[in-house]
């Protein structure tokens, strides 16, 4: 099954792990958060609409996110490729709107204790140009503060400020986590992955579970 949804709280490793798996499976990959940040960076109408929501750690409007993500999936489909999605769908409303399109998919659900999530997010650095993710201790860049791939400067995401991390965790518990049960009761396969260990171990756990399906 080359339609995968990476699900989990902020800092669980959705970006890190979905990037790896998409490369291995030669699938298209899209992250709803990355796509929205791209719009903000380019100052598009969509970017202007969602900037404050992302800065505050709140969810963007469901219909908007579904529209831009379905567009991306259709591009992957047209290329005859599988796809890996990071952070979409994120609410029951989004999942219901996506289901209308009729694609089946498997959910890779990553979880880790809250103190681990907070530590990862506060130590994360991202490339200001290509969006690559780093962790100061666990996956540092080869040259301090510079992206390994494009050489641009690394920065902290605005929503990785301590009070916004707390808000995002709260939004996750209140608005996002209930989707997991919805996936299970609506017949989607959910692979539960303990994502609290090192990056390579988490990747191996995911690969082992994918082999079984
Ligand atoms: P989004 O960008 O998706 O943010 P998030 O869900 O809060 O998740 P993160 O990107 O912070 O964490 P991650 O799980 O990707 O972890 P990562 O791999 O980076 O969304 C941002 C915002 O956009 C939302 O708040 C919302 O406003 C909006 N949005 C997005 N999707 C939406 C939707 N569907 N609907 C409405 N609004 C939406 O890892 C974190 C750090 O830890 C990195 O430094 C990494 O190197 C490190 N790390 C990863 N794994 C490990 C490990 N196993 N061990 C040690 N370090 C690790
Ligand atoms: Mg991410």
């Amino acid at each position: 099954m080359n339609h995968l949804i990476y699900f989990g709280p902020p800092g669980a490793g959705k970006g890190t792990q979905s990037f790896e798996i998409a490369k291995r499976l030669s699938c298209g990959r899209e992250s709803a958060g990355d796509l929205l940040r791209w719009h903000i960076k380019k100052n598009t109408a969509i970017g202007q609409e969602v900037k404050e929501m992302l800065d505050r750690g709140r969810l963007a409007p469901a219909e908007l996110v579904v529209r831009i993500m379905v567009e991306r999936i259709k591009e992957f489909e047209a290329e005859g490729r599988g796809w890996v999605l990071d952070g979409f769908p994120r609410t029951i409303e989004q999942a219901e709107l996506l289901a209308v399109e009729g694609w089946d998919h498997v959910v890779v659900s990553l979880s880790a204790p809250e103190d681990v999530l907070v530590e990862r997010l506060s130590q994360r650095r991202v490339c200001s140009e290509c969006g690559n993710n780093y962790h100061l201790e666990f996956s540092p860049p080869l040259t301090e503060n510079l992206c390994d791939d494009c050489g641009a400067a690394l920065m902290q995401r605005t929503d990785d400020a301590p009070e916004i991390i707390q808000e995002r965790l709260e939004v996750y518990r209140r608005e996002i986590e209930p989707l997991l049960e919805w996936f299970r009761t609506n017949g989607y396969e959910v692979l539960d992955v303990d994502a609290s260990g090192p990056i390579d171990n988490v990747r191996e756990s995911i690969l082992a579970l994918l082999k079984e399906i």
Side-chain angles (χ1 to χ4, degrees):
M1 161 70 72
N2 281 357
H3 293 169
L4 302 178
I5 306 284
Y6 275 67
F7 183 90
K14 302 182 295 296
T16 305
Q17 298 295 339
S18 63
F19 187 81
E20 279 286 322
I21 209 83
K23 214 162 53 178
R24 275 179 184 241
L25 300 176
S26 301
C27 284
R29 173 188 171 271
E30 190 56 86
S31 146
D34 288 350
L35 192 52
L36 293 169
R37 279 186 291 276
W38 180 88
H39 278 283
I40 292 171
K41 192 169 176 202
K42 298 290 174 192
N43 200 23
T44 66
I46 289 175
Q48 288 171 14
E49 184 179 342
V50 301
K51 182 176 184 329
E52 203 201 330
M53 299 165 198
L54 268 82
D55 283 348
R56 295 173 63 200
R58 304 285 171 81
L59 294 180
E63 282 182 15
L64 183 157
V65 179
V66 171
R67 179 160 47 84
I68 61 176
M69 289 299 284
V70 165
E71 221 169 80
R72 289 292 285 141
I73 299 171
K74 286 185 174 165
E75 287 171 12
F76 299 139
E77 291 279 317
E79 293 162 3
R81 304 164 80 192
W83 36 266
V84 178
L85 308 182
D86 160 0
F88 175 82
R90 199 174 281 233
T91 61
I92 294 173
E93 184 185 6
Q94 292 178 17
E96 285 175 343
L97 289 168
L98 178 66
V100 173
E101 302 288 335
W103 294 301
D104 197 11
H105 56 72
V106 169
V107 179
V108 179
S109 170
L110 306 179
S111 61
E114 200 164 302
D115 57 333
V116 172
L117 302 174
V118 172
E119 192 279 339
R120 285 183 189 169
L121 294 174
S122 42
Q123 299 284 307
R124 173 167 58 190
R125 297 294 180 273
V126 295
C127 174
S128 53
E129 283 303 318
C130 70
N132 264 358
N133 265 339
Y134 297 89
H135 184 284
L136 292 180
E137 187 182 342
F138 301 125
S139 58
L142 296 171
T143 309
E144 196 178 337
N145 222 25
L146 295 180
C147 178
D148 293 351
D149 285 346
C150 71
L154 304 186
M155 49 172 263
Q156 253 191 308
R157 265 171 50 176
T158 49
D159 61 351
D160 280 346
E163 67 281 11
I164 308 294
I165 291 176
Q166 287 308 320
E167 174 65 17
R168 286 158 62 207
L169 288 168
E170 181 56 36
V171 167
Y172 175 77
R173 282 190 289 267
R174 195 175 60 230
E175 299 179 46
I176 303 173
E177 206 170 20
L179 175 58
L180 207 47
E181 200 44 43
W182 184 94
F183 279 134
R184 295 188 209 279
T185 52
N186 283 272
Y188 293 95
E189 180 135 25
V190 177
L191 309 179
D192 289 299
V193 179
D194 174 1
S196 56
I199 293 174
D200 292 353
N201 295 15
V202 177
R203 186 189 58 236
E204 292 312 313
S205 306
I206 296 171
L207 288 171
L209 287 169
L210 287 174
K211 267 194 199 132
E212 288 172 17
I213 57 173

